[in-house]
Amino acid sequence: MSKFFSSANLSFLFQISLKGVIRLTVYEILFPPDEKYQGMIHLAVLNKNKEMKSLGSCFPKDLPERIENLKIMKSMNYYITANSTCAYTKRRLTNLFSLNNIVLDFDIHGRMNQHLRNELIDEFVWRIKRDLFFVNCEYQILIPNVLHKTGRGIQMWWHINSASKQLQFIYHEIIENLAIIFKDFLSEYPELEKHIEIDVSASKNSVGLFRLFDTYNTHTGMKTEVEILHEKGFDINELNQSLRNHPVVIENCIPKKDKPNKMKQNICKKKPTQYQRGYYDALHRKRLAFIKWWSLELDDIVGKRDILIYYGFNAAKEIMSTL
């Protein structure tokens, strides 16, 4: 169990998030006005002509009022940065000032109507809460502060107590390890894995834009939904260490020998995890069922018997230990 939350606290957080009694707004949680590093947060809009236009920037203490005064239109898409830049500078990586939030961006792919897309997102959220967030076992991960259903996907926000831009290498490692854990989790549910993709490159962009909370997605015509799970910020080093110790990360990554500069890298193994092994087991069982059906459908198996036996043997031997 993480040292940040006891099982009692997890239950309490789950209850208050459902009841909606948390007093702080999403902006006060993700961009506290009293943090050590005070850079500027950028806002932008994608207009009807598909042009991204800056709406300026402001300090965290001014952000709630600034957003409240925005004239939000259903025909436009609004965005915000997760981190801050130096005061009165453009939104460029060279101007990055502090690291404030880690955002993991999940996209829903595949041709489906919005009702099915919403059902898929709801199922995904329900399963991660059950299996990764509100669970008392070694597979639990630190709970994000905010879940943001964007209409065509979902974003998870972890607020980190503002950290120096010099810690971007830790910032990126956290995102990579989160991606490893969630990809492994999705492999347990083939239908979710088929449609849900983690946009790691967008998540790792320290000055990237993410959809603004409680605005409209013009592709779906729907307003985004925000769920606050808790208010507590994370220390970037402690968050990183907790993910390094996660069993899925340990199983997927092995340390490489130190380079001359003493920096260590992680190399992903090819070995499937326990979730993936369960998926392969199901796949081989489906193959056996298909072979049985195929043999019954064939009126004449002359010349096909050997190949059927060959296919059946190779599928059966993969699951023999579980029979």
Side-chain angles (χ1 to χ4, degrees), residues 131-132 135 137-141 181 246-248 251 274-275:
D131 297 346
L132 291 179
V135 59
C137 75
E138 60 182 349
Y139 286 94
Q140 180 208 3
I141 66 171
I181 293 169
H246 194 280
V248 171
E251 187 174 3
Q274 69 176 57
Y275 291 140

Side-chain angles (χ1 to χ4, degrees), residues 103-109 117-118 120-126 128-129 133 144 146-158 182 186 196-199 203 210-211 213 217 224-227 229:
V103 185
L104 207 58
D105 191 12
F106 295 84
D107 296 322
I108 308 297
H109 295 285
R117 184 178 289 111
N118 290 341
L120 196 71
I121 294 173
D122 289 342
E123 180 186 354
F124 177 52
V125 170
W126 180 80
I128 59 176
K129 284 181 178 179
F133 294 168
V146 173
L147 299 180
H148 187 204
K149 296 179 182 178
T150 60
R152 300 185 72 176
I154 187 169
Q155 295 167 355
M156 300 180 191
W157 289 66
W158 285 262
F182 277 97
L186 285 169
I196 298 177
E197 181 179 336
I198 307 171
D199 193 342
S203 300
F210 299 93
R211 190 171 295 277
F213 306 102
N217 186 322
T224 67
E225 298 179 23
V226 179
E227 182 179 2
L229 298 182

